[in-house]
Amino acid sequence: MSSPLWITATPLASDGELHIGHLAGPYVAADVLSRSLRADGHPVLFTSGTADHAESVALRALRGGRKPEEVAEGFRAAITADWLRAGVHLDRVVRPGRDRGYRRWLQELLLGLYAQDVIVPRTRLAYYCESCRCWLHGAYVTGACGHCGARGEGGLCRQCARPNDAELVDPACARCGAPGRPRRCRRLYLPLEPMRELLADHWRGAGLPPRLAVLCESLLEDGLPDVPVSHPGEWGVTVPVDGFAGHRVDSCFESAAMHLFGYGHDKQPLPGRALHFSGFGHAFCHVVLLPAILVALGLKLPQEFHVNETFGTGCEEPDGGPTLWALDLLTEFGADTVRRHVLTARPQGPGHGAGRAELEHTRRFLDGTWNSWLSRLFAAVREDSAGRVPDADPGGEGWAALRHRLHRAAEDLREAYGPEAYDPRRVVAVLDEVVRCTADFGYVNGFERHRLSGAGQHLPALAAQLAVASALTAWAWPVMPEGATRLAQALDVSPGGPVIPGSLVPPAPGTRLAPPSGPVFGF
């Protein structure tokens, strides 16, 4: 078997539950690509993880009077369960707080890079809270980004995606609000400037989306930064380097390195090609830090990137916490509705996103088009063919033209589902066109049953529509796997096959249909 295509999605901090913005970001889009490739027979490795050692986990624990381990464990379980409810099936989820050997692996990676002088000690300014008597880093410090002015946390700016180590304007302690005072602090850093040519060559060959290309070019223009690898603290993986007792591995560095857990000289080799899915605010870890670690390890891996903007719901709490939790929406609208909606609303630019009203619109659309047509089709088969697939070849008025259009649609879907021109929004548009055209075909040919010139002239049109329904169990499966599976069960066929024109074949004549009692897609 050939080397699998490696699909990664940003590790999610286990400091809260999954919300619709997460689903609209990397996870559903990456899952759709993974499903379409698997259905076509291509090996895939789809991985992510939970950033259990993020500073936000410790901060939430501190505010709630709990231990960070308890916070990480509870939210990790909720996140992974909600991924499954949303139909996001990962081959590997790295769990730093639980996976056996993870801490030792991360420490050995750091020690190896330190021995090669890839990671080096540096004394730099860092923020300190005199009131709390602690160093401020990551979620512990807030302020305005020194590059773009957006307000946020330390570590990485979620707006411009650049690191802001000790470069915040008006830094403040997130615990008590006191000003963050700059102090000299000796930490471990990964200097990127010595890798300038190797990283620049990597970015030139990666076919970066324009916004990522601008980010990388601006980093090169300004001089590649020294990225913190450690910080003084009590939460996270301890740093095994002499002279850095009391330091923990920086969460940004760990999130990038986490993707490599399980690979190495005594582990399985890296896949031959990687596709990284992330929001733009996390792009630095994927497009800069991870390639830098691979370069330092002497590993060359073709990598491509899919980024999205922040999904805004317009209904957030005063503290910025989203109200549209994934579990609530999946329970209320179902996985098909949520998946389809976040794919069409997946932000490619500012001003995108939606709330419950838009999800309700998506559900009504599925009911009024997809489910309405299937309901009429199942009713016609029940009334005109005793509930069994008619013994007739697909046909009817306009079938030749529709079949030609459907063959073109299958090719359009294959292109939009493929990694080279992946476009899930285009996938949804083509699928909707298939359903609308077939529903119109069914309506026009429904009058055949009233002809006096001969019986059974309407049965070929039923067979034709059943052929389209059968094809949709494969064509729609990556986007709406629950509905595609229900449709396949109703037709007594297997769901999730390759997206090809050859899927346009009705079930075997005489097959008794078993339509579900409720909607096929969504609920």
Side-chain angles (χ1 to χ4, degrees):
M1 180 177 291
S2 61
S3 176
L5 176 65
W6 185 20
I7 299 174
T8 75
T10 303
L12 184 61
S14 49
D15 61 354
E17 295 182 30
L18 198 71
H19 59 72
I20 191 173
H22 295 134
L23 292 179
Y27 304 109
V28 170
D31 180 75
V32 170
L33 177 60
S34 172
R35 286 176 179 271
S36 65
L37 289 170
R38 292 182 205 275
D40 209 36
H42 298 288
V44 173
L45 179 65
F46 180 23
T47 69
S48 187
T50 53
D52 296 346
H53 298 134
E55 292 82 5
S56 55
V57 174
L59 185 60
R60 176 145 192 169
L62 186 67
R63 288 170 171 168
R66 304 170 64 192
K67 294 180 179 180
E69 296 90 338
E70 296 172 346
V71 171
E73 181 69 23
F75 284 121
R76 184 197 314 118
I79 288 166
T80 52
D82 288 347
W83 274 336
L84 288 175
R85 291 186 184 99
V88 177
H89 289 279
L90 292 133
D91 297 300
R92 179 188 301 156
V93 177
V94 180
R95 304 169 302 171
R98 293 199 59 175
D99 286 352
R100 184 177 180 182
Y102 175 82
R103 287 175 178 266
R104 182 178 177 182
W105 167 84
L106 184 61
Q107 290 173 329
E108 289 178 349
L109 172 66
L110 190 151
L111 281 173
L113 296 177
Y114 181 77
Q116 300 174 46
D117 291 329
V118 173
I119 291 176
V120 296
R122 292 278 191 271
T123 300
R124 298 279 191 272
L125 291 177
Y127 297 122
Y128 188 82
C129 178
E130 302 283 357
S131 176
C132 297
R133 296 183 179 180
C134 69
W135 292 97
L136 304 180
H137 50 83
Y140 283 108
V141 59
T142 63
C145 174
H147 301 285
C148 70
R151 295 202 63 82
E153 301 173 349
L156 293 176
C157 176
R158 295 295 182 257
Q159 293 298 316
C160 68
R162 293 181 61 142
N164 54 23
D165 181 46
E167 295 175 340
L168 291 174
V169 179
D170 297 326
C173 175
R175 296 169 62 182
C176 70
R181 303 301 185 188
R183 278 192 181 184
R184 292 172 64 82
C185 181
R186 190 166 177 79
R187 292 187 286 173
L188 293 175
Y189 285 84
L190 194 164
L192 297 177
E193 192 61 32
M195 304 179 186
R196 165 179 284 269
E197 294 306 320
L198 291 172
L199 287 173
D201 181 66
H202 166 73
W203 293 330
R204 281 192 294 268
L208 297 176
R211 195 175 184 195
L212 283 188
V214 170
L215 169 65
C216 294
E217 288 177 7
S218 67
L219 289 170
L220 289 169
E221 177 70 20
D222 296 342
L224 295 175
D226 294 352
V227 180
V229 175
S230 78
H231 55 74
E234 299 179 354
W235 175 240
V237 178
T238 56
V239 172
V241 177
D242 290 341
F244 290 91
H247 279 236
R248 299 295 186 269
V249 178
D250 183 83
S251 61
C252 292
F253 176 85
E254 183 180 354
S255 291
M258 187 187 303
H259 292 293
L260 301 176
F261 179 57
Y263 299 110
H265 298 298
D266 57 342
K267 306 289 185 180
Q268 59 181 327
L270 280 171
R273 177 185 173 197
L275 248 90
H276 303 295
F277 283 77
S278 77
F280 180 74
H282 293 275
F284 187 87
C285 290
H286 290 271
V287 76
V288 180
L289 263 182
L290 179 57
I293 296 171
L294 289 170
V295 165
L297 295 174
L299 300 172
K300 188 174 179 61
L301 176 65
Q303 299 173 75
E304 299 157 50
F305 305 90
H306 288 273
V307 296
N308 60 273
E309 303 294 336
T310 301
F311 187 95
T313 63
C315 53
E316 295 171 341
E317 300 287 0
D319 64 355
T323 61
L324 297 182
W325 302 112
L327 176 58
D328 294 339
L329 299 178
L330 292 166
T331 302
E332 182 177 353
F333 296 99
D336 285 344
T337 301
V338 173
R339 286 172 65 97
R340 175 203 163 88
H341 176 70
V342 299
L343 289 173
T344 55
R346 186 168 180 256
Q348 304 296 326
H352 288 75
R356 270 191 167 82
E358 288 77 12
L359 275 162
E360 181 60 37
H361 175 78
T362 298
R363 176 163 58 184
R364 288 199 301 268
F365 178 84
L366 285 172
D367 278 340
T369 54
W370 290 61
N371 292 329
S372 177
W373 161 61
L374 289 170
S375 179
R376 293 194 301 272
L377 174 60
F378 289 141
V381 172
R382 183 176 61 252
E383 295 172 9
D384 300 336
S385 191
R388 297 180 181 273
V389 177
D391 188 5
D393 292 330
E397 178 65 30
W399 172 242
L402 177 58
R403 182 176 57 193
H404 180 69
R405 181 179 296 181
L406 293 171
H407 283 190
R408 288 204 315 263
E411 296 303 321
D412 286 346
L413 287 170
R414 281 189 66 82
E415 180 182 61
Y417 270 135
E420 282 74 24
Y422 182 58
D423 187 350
R425 192 176 295 175
R426 172 64 178 155
V427 166
V428 173
V430 174
L431 289 173
D432 287 343
E433 182 184 4
V434 166
V435 171
R436 276 192 288 256
C437 291
T438 307
D440 290 344
F441 169 84
Y443 174 79
V444 169
N445 282 273
F447 293 98
E448 290 283 2
R449 64 188 304 190
H450 303 297
R451 279 198 175 190
L452 302 178
S453 56
Q457 294 190 39
H458 59 291
L459 297 181
L462 290 182
Q465 293 176 79
L466 288 170
V468 177
S470 183
L472 286 173
T473 66
W475 295 1
W477 183 75
V479 172
M480 296 183 286
E482 284 189 356
T485 299
R486 283 193 288 266
L487 181 56
Q489 291 170 345
L491 301 175
D492 195 21
V493 298
S494 298
V499 178
I500 55 176
S503 302
L504 281 165
V505 178
T511 299
R512 179 174 290 280
L513 303 187
S517 57
V520 177
F521 291 92
F523 60 81

